[in-house]
Amino acid sequence: MFHSRLTHLLSLSLSLSLSLSLSLSLSLLLFALGGVREAVYINLHSHRGLTLVYKQEKITATLADPEAETCEMHCYGDLVNCLSCGMILAGLGYLVQHKKTQSSYGRHMRLSPPVQTVPARLAWFFQEMPALVIPLLLMLTSHKPSSMGKYLLLGTFCMHYFQRTFVYSLLTRGKPFPLGVMGAAGFFCSLNGFLQGHYLLHCAQFDDEWSADYRYITGLLLFFVGMAINIHSDYILRNLRKQGEVIYKIPKGGLFEYVSAANYLGEIVEWSGYAVATWSFPALAFAVYSLCFIGPRAYYHHRFYREKFKDYPRLRKALIPFIF
């Protein structure tokens, strides 16, 4: 009886969390498609300078004339800047707030007071999914989106979250997640998915030679190297446990020979490369937030290993090989 009631409550909670996430996604999408907005035309001048020209404009439907083309792409410049600044401030706030303790999930989850939890696979699936779905919806509903922005969005951001949603979440063997942590992560992924998708599709204008620019090439190289490190490190961590085990062991192999949080190092390199390849404020904000969020967590992972295992390698660092 107790088990059936708990299962019922969990199902209701998951449905509510998913409904809230989808409602937020739909609201952001509708906000991006209609009404009176302040259009911001962004000219990157071969990405050497940034010029913003503001203009008040009312958006009108073009269904009456399907052949008509819009002369410029439209962008919610103020919203993009506010969300980007807010993300940086949120990251710095998290860094200050959690300098002594970490968010209660995984190995740092506190047992009291008891909280309602969600199986790790369900939690990762539902919380990561909005960051994939929202950019794809924006792409499908956009009128003539930026071609380079679309390719960057699909080839980097959406690729990462496709892997996290449909591969990582189905393979993970982690501990159950607190429901509140899952909801907060889903909320962030919704906002970030909208921010990155809207900017790259509606705001960014890349010149014809951007694919040959050293920032584009360097950024993509960093992104894919970081993604490879992240996936390989997750594979090592996952295979430390047998199915159903919840014990911790010393990870070995790959960059774990040099750092305790090789998976986090890979993700930080990934989003740093994304910021360089897109050369944009929203991507930079996301990279800074990621560093502020998982950087301290890497330190606490390192401290956890050193306290738990007396034979833990002394020369291994927390996040940056040979340095930190």
Side-chain angles (χ1 to χ4, degrees):
M1 177 68 72
F2 175 76
H3 182 268
S4 62
R5 289 183 178 178
L6 182 60
T7 303
H8 181 64
L9 288 173
L10 180 57
S11 301
L12 288 176
S13 300
L14 283 173
S15 300
L16 178 60
S17 177
L18 182 58
S19 299
L20 289 174
S21 179
L22 292 177
S23 296
L24 175 64
S25 304
L26 182 59
S27 299
L28 289 171
L29 185 61
L30 292 175
F31 181 73
L33 294 176
V36 179
R37 67 187 180 191
E38 184 176 356
V40 181
Y41 302 101
I42 299 183
N43 184 0
L44 295 178
H45 296 300
S46 300
H47 281 64
R48 294 185 178 84
L50 183 65
T51 304
L52 299 180
V53 180
Y54 293 87
K55 179 181 178 181
Q56 290 290 337
E57 178 173 305
K58 183 174 182 179
I59 308 305
T60 56
T62 58
L63 295 177
D65 185 7
E67 300 296 324
E69 296 184 1
T70 54
C71 58
E72 295 285 352
M73 285 191 221
H74 307 293
C75 163
Y76 291 106
D78 287 344
L79 181 61
V80 167
N81 291 332
C82 286
L83 289 177
S84 300
C85 290
M87 188 175 292
I88 292 175
L89 292 176
L92 295 175
Y94 181 92
L95 185 64
V96 173
Q97 183 181 1
H98 293 82
K99 62 183 179 180
K100 293 184 179 180
T101 59
Q102 282 296 292
S103 294
S104 181
Y105 69 92
R107 71 194 66 192
H108 305 293
M109 189 163 67
R110 295 178 289 274
L111 298 178
S112 60
V115 295
Q116 190 169 4
T117 58
V118 182
R121 292 182 178 181
L122 281 178
W124 279 106
F125 179 82
F126 284 120
Q127 72 185 31
E128 304 288 294
M129 183 175 58
L132 172 65
V133 171
I134 293 177
L136 292 179
L137 287 175
L138 288 172
M139 196 177 304
L140 292 173
T141 55
S142 297
H143 179 73
K144 299 193 69 172
S146 166
S147 296
M148 177 58 72
K150 181 173 69 173
Y151 295 143
L152 276 171
L153 186 64
L154 283 173
T156 56
F157 190 83
C158 288
M159 179 183 290
H160 171 90
Y161 279 102
F162 178 87
Q163 194 274 335
R164 299 298 280 187
T165 303
F166 294 106
V167 180
Y168 176 82
S169 68
L170 301 180
L171 297 176
T172 187
R173 297 174 183 173
K175 288 183 176 181
F177 260 48
L179 185 60
V181 173
M182 187 196 79
F187 178 78
F188 173 80
C189 286
S190 298
L191 286 177
N192 192 42
F194 170 79
L195 175 62
Q196 306 301 328
H198 176 63
Y199 177 83
L200 286 176
L201 294 172
H202 302 147
C203 302
Q205 291 187 2
F206 300 92
D207 60 44
D208 295 335
E209 299 178 355
W210 183 243
S211 60
D213 192 282
Y214 72 93
R215 287 163 290 187
Y216 175 83
I217 297 171
T218 303
L220 287 185
L221 180 63
L222 284 173
F223 177 86
F224 288 113
V225 168
M227 188 172 185
I229 293 171
N230 182 249
I231 292 174
H232 181 249
S233 301
D234 285 338
Y235 170 80
I236 292 174
L237 291 174
R238 186 167 59 246
N239 285 280
L240 289 176
R241 296 174 176 171
K242 296 179 181 179
Q243 191 70 34
E245 281 187 338
V246 291
I247 61 175
Y248 289 96
K249 302 176 183 178
I250 299 176
K252 297 177 181 179
L255 283 180
F256 281 114
E257 298 297 324
Y258 304 96
V259 295
S260 298
N263 52 330
Y264 291 161
L265 171 62
E267 192 159 353
I268 290 171
V269 171
E270 212 179 329
W271 297 126
S272 298
Y274 171 71
V276 174
T278 61
W279 207 248
S280 67
F281 186 33
L284 174 63
F286 183 34
V288 170
Y289 180 88
S290 298
L291 177 62
C292 292
F293 186 85
I294 61 180
R297 197 164 181 85
Y299 167 76
Y300 282 100
H301 276 25
H302 183 65
R303 192 175 74 174
F304 170 87
Y305 283 126
R306 296 188 68 177
E307 291 176 351
K308 186 174 181 63
F309 302 103
K310 294 182 179 180
D311 59 339
Y312 195 72
R314 293 186 177 182
L315 296 180
R316 190 178 295 188
K317 300 298 182 180
L319 184 64
I320 305 174
F322 312 113
I323 298 175
F324 170 74

